[in-house]
């Protein structure tokens, strides 16, 4: 398992989450540029449709998010 996958997992064995940056406004999720954590399947759907991209460590730092905590 890569360190990215380990960092994306929620504590206590809960479902894995992936942080993404929204590339367009989504009424149900937030506005463009917002960093959000989503379930893997939802994040994959947004990435596939071009509505989001994976958050980089820099994106997370700017948003004040520390994965795994």
């Amino acid at each position: 398992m890569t360190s990215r996958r380990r960092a994306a997992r929620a504590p206590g064995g809960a479902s894995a989450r992936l942080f993404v940056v929204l590339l367009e406004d989504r009424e149900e999720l937030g506005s463009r540029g917002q960093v959000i954590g989503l379930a893997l399947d939802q994040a994959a759907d947004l990435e596939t449709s071009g509505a989001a991209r994976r958050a980089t460590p820099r994106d997370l730092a700017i948003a004040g998010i520390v994965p795994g905590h």
Side-chain angles (χ1 to χ4, degrees):
M1 180 182 301
T2 67
S3 60
R4 276 191 197 174
R5 284 188 186 167
R6 257 185 262 121
R9 291 198 183 275
S15 296
R17 296 183 70 75
L18 184 66
F19 288 98
V20 298
V21 178
L22 295 176
L23 300 177
E24 58 186 42
D25 291 340
R26 287 287 176 125
E27 189 173 311
E28 69 279 8
L29 297 174
S31 58
R32 183 176 183 257
Q34 189 172 350
V35 177
I36 58 173
L38 298 172
L40 290 177
D41 58 341
Q42 189 176 12
D45 290 344
L46 286 175
E47 284 184 305
T48 301
S49 71
R53 65 169 174 80
R54 287 190 187 184
T56 65
R58 184 172 183 187
D59 295 325
L60 296 175
I62 290 169
I65 298 171
V66 180
H69 287 98

